[in-house]
């Protein structure tokens, strides 16, 4: 377990824990219609509108975005965008469990290469739905 934590840390370019004041401030959070809370000692953020973070990718080496969710969230539809380009349409279906899980979303190479070393990651709710809850946003190397 320790070895896999070290591997993940080595592959991480940037990390934000939604719902925590300092990490969000450090990543220039912007939001509309957004909420925060704590579930099983983990902070989260969701939105009926949207929220975004500026994540650092100084060497333009980003290959994927790892998002952590809770399996109890259901009937939620939203888009994940990077620098105004949609990289995923997400539907959280939920289950009876309360486990946390992560999903990796590929980042087009041209998107990382054309950036100025900062990637704006935005979560936008579909009309009548909710974006999130998001428990962790991790920018990973290729």
């Amino acid at each position: 377990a320790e070895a896999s934590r070290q591997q993940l840390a080595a592959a991480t370019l940037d990390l934000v824990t939604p719902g925590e004041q300092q990490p969000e401030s450090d990543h220039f959070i912007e939001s509309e219609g957004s909420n925060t809370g704590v579930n099983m000692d983990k902070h989260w953020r969701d939105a009926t509108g949207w929220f975004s973070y500026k994540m650092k990718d100084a060497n333009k080496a980003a290959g994927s975005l790892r998002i952590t969710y809770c399996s109890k969230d259901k009937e939620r539809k939203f888009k994940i965008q990077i620098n105004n380009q949609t990289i995923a349409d997400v539907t959280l279906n939920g289950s009876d469990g309360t486990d946390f899980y992560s999903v990796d979303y590929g980042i087009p190479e041209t998107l990382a290469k054309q950036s100025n070393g900062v990637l704006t990651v935005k979560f936008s709710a579909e009309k009548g739905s909710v974006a999130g809850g998001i428990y962790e946003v991790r920018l990973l190397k290729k």
Side-chain angles (χ1 to χ4, degrees), residues 14-16 23-30 51-57 83-84 116-122 137 139:
D14 201 0
L15 169 69
V16 62
E24 287 194 322
S25 174
D26 291 347
H27 290 87
F28 305 96
I29 177 136
E30 292 184 34
F51 60 99
S52 67
Y53 303 107
K54 294 190 183 306
M55 302 192 76
K56 297 172 196 78
D57 181 23
N83 293 356
N84 297 315
N116 60 356
V118 175
L119 299 175
T120 300
V121 178
K122 184 175 183 179
V137 181
L139 193 60

Side-chain angles (χ1 to χ4, degrees), residues 24 29-36 44-53 123 131:
E24 287 194 322
I29 177 136
E30 292 184 34
S31 67
E32 184 178 289
S34 186
N35 302 294
T36 62
W44 55 264
R45 179 173 290 278
D46 69 11
T48 54
W50 59 272
F51 60 99
S52 67
Y53 303 107
F123 301 89

Side-chain angles (χ1 to χ4, degrees), residues 1-14:
E2 180 59 29
S4 61
R5 275 193 292 276
Q6 289 175 349
Q7 283 180 325
L8 182 58
T12 299
L13 295 166
D14 201 0

Side-chain angles (χ1 to χ4, degrees), residues 60-78:
K60 302 180 182 183
S64 63
L65 190 66
R66 180 171 291 175
I67 308 298
T68 301
Y69 304 105
C70 180
S71 62
K72 73 176 186 170
D73 286 331
K74 62 183 177 180
E75 297 174 14
R76 295 178 177 212
K77 294 182 179 185
F78 55 98

